[in-house]
Amino acid sequence: MRAFAAIDHESRRQNAQLTFKHNLHQGRHGWLRLTPAYSLRLVTEILRRTKYAASVLDPFSGTGTTPLCAGYLGLRGTGLEINPFLVWLGSAKSRHFLPATIKRASDLGASIAVASSSPQSPRLSPPPIHNISRWWNETELDFLCRLKACICDAAEEGAEERDLLLVAFCRTVITLSNAAFNHQSMSFKDKDDSPQLFDLQRDHSDIFRKGLAFVLDGAADNPRTTPGIVTGDARNASRFLRDKYDTLITSPPYPNRISYIRELRPYMYWLGYLTNGRDAGEFDWQAIGGTWGIATSRLVNWEPSGKAFVPDKLKKAIAGISRPENPHGVLLANYVAKYFEDIWDHIVDVRAVLNDDAEVHYIVGNSTFYRTLLPVEEIYKEMLEHAGFHDVQIIRIRKRSSKAELFEYDVTGKKNQPTKQSTVRETRRRLSRR
Ligand SMILES: C[S@@+](CC[C@H](N)C(=O)[O-])C[C@H]1O[C@@H](n2cnc3c(N)ncnc32)[C@H](O)[C@@H]1O
């Protein structure tokens, strides 16, 4: 029986309940959106099936969906994430909040909502986001600068209520913005889509108040165990993690040129994680699959280390992408080659933090470059097998877009070949840990 037996027959459909859309109204999972986040339903279904798992790792934790799901099921959840803003968000979402903290955040929020709508209240300078007027008009920007100043003034750095207020602030930043989410990555609304008169009449403080009420509702629903979110690089996971895990569930970046820094830049600039465009490119270069700013120019000169396993299917796809008739073929071929070299480093290293009969689930999507299909799921399968994983299988989960050939898959396998003794031993060990 497979995790998705019940939904596999629907895999030709776009199953929105298996994406971040399903998370939007689910308490803490819906605090802030990240388009490439996956759905808690997907994770919960896998976790319910792996019934002896006591500890769960997501080495590409993003908004913290996996560790938080594990926490709500009473399992030990850990996320590893390279982006400092997502580490902050994942940690805030994972925290155990006492009623007194929620009450303090609520009281402070009520005063802040009043103070920030007064033109007399102090205001911070707007963040140095390129072309900021595309994001917010002058009135909105002015309100956000006052709101941020009021929050910083009211709650000390490090105080738990400050994080709750800042999550509500981030919700307000996006609600007031001109950002549109109807594409695969974040874009801007068309001029005709922004009802100007309505915008002028929007009660900005009320948007903050409602955002905070939603955040506090989620904060009151504590997970049964508190997950941990660790800052680190999944290519060297064993350097950052001390424990061992029974189950790995993750959706790594897909090789589809989505830049997380690009998606997250409004939050990252407002909260001070980014102060200039060059750093944005540096962050993206550190992340797997990053393409923003300087990351692209470095890709042009990137050369393979020669140490990674390169399956024939990957070699064939790289040759197809780099054909001379493809205008940016060499750049994109380098992009794909580097992506898989990074994933190979991750797969080899992560074995060190998995228990002997651990199960892994990589949720991945395939891509096309020019007319070359990149069979991402098959390349992951070959890499996992080559690194020593057993019983590796590909399960198709859902169709991804209107393009007939794009799907999302669960590539799943076991760290080792299970033996009778190891199964009995592991079952005892896990039961004794509960
Ligand atoms: C598809 S997203 C994960 C989304 C997550 N499943 C969720 O529900 O929010 C991939 C994540 O991998 C992170 N990432 C990229 N390179 C990384 C690396 N080398 N080590 C750790 N995390 C990395 C990105 O910052 C991004 O948050």
Side-chain angles (χ1 to χ4, degrees):
M1 251 287 275
R2 281 291 167 190
F4 306 111
I7 51 175
D8 194 39
H9 68 282
E10 288 182 37
S11 66
R12 288 188 174 279
R13 303 218 323 251
Q14 282 190 23
N15 282 325
Q17 77 274 18
L18 299 180
T19 71
F20 72 92
K21 286 183 190 147
H22 178 68
N23 299 0
L24 291 178
H25 304 290
Q26 307 280 341
R28 298 182 186 207
H29 286 286
W31 276 3
L32 292 184
R33 79 186 273 158
L34 169 68
T35 309
Y38 58 11
S39 115
L40 63 120
R41 174 166 162 198
L42 185 64
V43 179
T44 306
E45 279 191 34
I46 296 175
L47 284 175
R48 289 230 162 94
R49 252 195 69 254
T50 51
K51 53 186 177 201
Y52 296 123
S55 56
V56 182
L57 170 67
D58 186 339
F60 300 95
S61 163
T63 60
T65 309
T66 311
L68 195 53
C69 279
Y72 278 118
L73 291 173
L75 308 171
R76 193 162 50 82
T78 301
L80 184 67
E81 173 55 55
I82 203 164
N83 182 305
F85 165 74
L86 290 173
V87 171
W88 168 78
L89 176 64
S91 306
K93 282 165 83 176
S94 300
R95 201 164 291 146
H96 183 98
F97 289 103
L98 295 172
T101 309
I102 296 172
K103 169 90 172 56
R104 262 199 313 279
S106 169
D107 292 347
L108 287 174
S111 330
I112 289 168
V114 174
S116 57
S117 49
S118 153
Q120 273 83 49
S121 66
R123 85 193 268 291
L124 295 175
S125 312
I129 303 182
H130 177 66
N131 219 343
I132 200 163
S133 57
R134 272 192 92 185
W135 291 88
W136 303 276
N137 66 30
E138 246 176 68
T139 330
E140 290 158 350
L141 203 51
D142 191 53
F143 170 74
L144 290 171
C145 290
R146 276 185 275 118
L147 182 59
K148 176 86 194 294
C150 289
I151 292 174
C152 293
D153 207 38
E156 272 175 29
E157 203 152 329
E160 292 184 349
E161 55 272 24
R162 178 168 161 132
D163 285 346
L164 293 170
L165 293 164
L166 286 177
V167 176
F169 171 75
C170 288
R171 286 179 66 89
T172 314
V173 161
I174 285 302
T175 309
L176 287 182
S177 82
N178 200 25
F181 293 96
N182 45 359
H183 297 286
Q184 190 184 20
S185 58
M186 194 201 285
S187 57
F188 290 104
K189 289 174 196 152
D190 292 335
K191 278 218 159 62
D192 295 348
D193 294 348
S194 352
Q196 296 300 317
L197 182 64
F198 173 73
D199 274 0
L200 289 175
Q201 291 170 346
R202 281 205 286 190
D203 181 344
H204 300 150
S205 301
D206 202 46
I207 291 173
F208 170 70
R209 250 185 236 111
K210 288 190 178 127
L212 182 61
F214 181 83
V215 172
L216 297 186
D217 236 32
D221 183 15
N222 283 306
R224 284 161 59 197
T225 57
T226 305
I229 310 292
V230 178
T231 306
D233 187 335
R235 284 165 290 203
N236 302 299
S238 60
R239 261 184 44 205
F240 302 95
L241 302 167
R242 259 171 279 126
D243 291 338
K244 291 209 170 195
Y245 300 89
D246 301 323
T247 305
L248 178 156
I249 306 176
T250 194
S251 101
Y254 297 175
N256 59 2
R257 286 164 284 158
I258 282 202
S259 155
Y260 295 97
I261 297 296
R262 183 182 179 282
E263 295 294 304
L264 296 168
R265 69 196 188 284
Y267 306 128
M268 291 185 73
Y269 271 105
W270 275 105
L271 295 200
Y273 291 100
L274 270 181
T275 51
N276 61 71
R278 200 180 160 82
D279 288 356
E282 285 294 341
F283 270 130
D284 229 20
W285 181 245
Q286 298 307 319
I288 295 179
T291 53
W292 188 246
I294 192 87
T296 299
S297 35
R298 287 196 185 148
L299 264 179
V300 178
N301 300 316
W302 178 84
E303 293 205 2
S305 69
K307 291 185 193 150
F309 166 61
V310 186
D312 286 343
K313 284 178 179 137
L314 176 55
K315 286 185 191 146
K316 202 171 147 210
I318 289 173
I321 297 167
S322 59
R323 269 195 215 109
E325 65 267 29
N326 297 332
H328 301 291
V330 172
L331 175 69
L332 290 175
N334 271 5
Y335 169 77
V336 169
K338 178 174 188 305
Y339 170 87
F340 278 110
E341 181 158 322
D342 286 342
I343 292 297
W344 172 251
D345 288 347
H346 158 71
I347 286 175
V348 170
D349 181 81
V350 83
R351 288 178 64 81
V353 296
L354 297 177
N355 280 321
D356 282 348
D357 62 352
E359 187 173 303
V360 298
H361 294 263
Y362 285 86
I363 311 298
V364 296
N366 58 356
S367 327
T368 47
F369 291 84
Y370 305 106
R371 274 182 300 283
T372 301
L373 178 72
L374 184 63
V376 175
E377 73 290 3
E378 291 175 22
I379 297 168
Y380 267 79
K381 179 173 190 282
E382 282 199 37
M383 285 191 157
L384 285 167
E385 285 170 344
H386 199 77
F389 287 85
H390 281 261
D391 193 18
V392 182
Q393 301 195 34
I394 298 172
I395 300 152
R396 190 162 69 190
I397 302 172
R398 69 177 193 102
K399 194 171 181 308
R400 268 182 38 228
S401 71
S402 51
K403 281 195 184 167
E405 67 278 20
L406 295 188
F407 289 93
E408 203 157 67
Y409 302 89
D410 176 10
V411 184
T412 174
K414 301 231 159 51
K415 181 182 174 190
N416 293 315
Q417 177 108 55
T419 60
K420 222 175 188 175
Q421 289 97 321
S422 72
T423 311
V424 173
R425 202 174 50 241
E426 277 301 302
T427 308
R428 280 207 198 110
R429 191 167 53 78
R430 289 173 186 180
L431 289 175
S432 72
R433 261 199 256 134
R434 294 187 157 200

